[in-house]
Amino acid sequence: MTDTPAPSKILLHKKSKILELQFGTDSYELDAEFLRVHSPSAEVQGHGPGQAILQFGKAMVAIDKLEPTGHYGIRIYFDDGHDTGIYSWEYLLHLARNREQLDQAYESALHREGKSRLPQAQVLQFSPPS
């Protein structure tokens, strides 16, 4: 699979929605929204190059639980119902090391598509009965 070793620490801070990872002497914090919009699932990445589906409205998402998957990664269960895709150690380390560039690319894509990190709300207005 991969030569990336498992993190020596994985800690989910539910209140702050942060996943803390330690790879060797390097420590990283990845928030739930970042992990959700960069899910390795086909639902997010598509089924081939150039088929990724922009995730938006995920600023409030939280992580419900983590589940080990073999010796190579974890499955993350999000409170918006998303739970597909295996986050391999290699992929998590990639996300952690490239956080800034991935954030910039994500913000640019949202801007280009006219989308927001915030969940969209639908407002209905009713007229009083006559």
Side-chain angles (χ1 to χ4, degrees), residues 37 39-55:
V37 302
S39 170
S41 71
E43 178 185 326
V44 174
Q45 299 299 326
H47 294 281
Q51 294 183 358
I53 299 158
L54 180 63
Q55 304 296 297

Side-chain angles (χ1 to χ4, degrees), residues 5-59:
S8 54
K9 177 169 78 172
I10 302 173
L11 185 59
L12 175 58
H13 301 275
K14 282 194 158 199
K15 190 171 183 174
S16 62
K17 303 177 186 179
I18 298 289
L19 183 64
E20 183 180 346
L21 302 166
Q22 179 132 10
F23 286 93
T25 59
D26 297 325
S27 190
Y28 304 97
E29 292 184 348
L30 302 174
D31 63 77
E33 178 191 14
F34 179 78
L35 290 163
R36 175 62 179 84
V37 302
H38 293 289
S39 170
S41 71
E43 178 185 326
V44 174
Q45 299 299 326
H47 294 281
Q51 294 183 358
I53 299 158
L54 180 63
Q55 304 296 297
F56 57 92
K58 302 298 180 186

Side-chain angles (χ1 to χ4, degrees), residues 4-126:
T4 304
S8 54
K9 177 169 78 172
I10 302 173
L11 185 59
L12 175 58
H13 301 275
K14 282 194 158 199
K15 190 171 183 174
S16 62
K17 303 177 186 179
I18 298 289
L19 183 64
E20 183 180 346
L21 302 166
Q22 179 132 10
F23 286 93
T25 59
D26 297 325
S27 190
Y28 304 97
E29 292 184 348
L30 302 174
D31 63 77
E33 178 191 14
F34 179 78
L35 290 163
R36 175 62 179 84
V37 302
H38 293 289
S39 170
S41 71
E43 178 185 326
V44 174
Q45 299 299 326
H47 294 281
Q51 294 183 358
I53 299 158
L54 180 63
Q55 304 296 297
F56 57 92
K58 302 298 180 186
M60 307 307 280
V61 76
I63 297 172
D64 281 335
K65 71 177 185 173
L66 306 173
E67 183 177 273
T69 304
H71 296 289
Y72 58 90
I74 57 174
R75 179 184 304 265
I76 302 176
Y77 292 79
F78 295 93
D79 68 354
D80 68 351
H82 183 75
D83 63 4
T84 59
I86 306 299
Y87 291 78
S88 69
W89 308 139
E90 180 178 28
Y91 188 61
L92 284 168
L93 189 55
H94 164 76
L95 291 176
R97 287 181 173 165
N98 297 284
R99 173 70 192 259
E100 189 174 323
Q101 299 91 323
L102 292 168
D103 271 342
Q104 288 174 356
Y106 178 61
E107 289 289 339
S108 294
L110 286 173
H111 185 265
R112 188 173 49 253
E113 297 295 322
K115 303 291 184 185
S116 172
R117 294 177 53 233
L118 298 172
Q120 298 298 313
Q122 181 178 5
V123 177
L124 298 176
Q125 294 185 358
F126 295 95

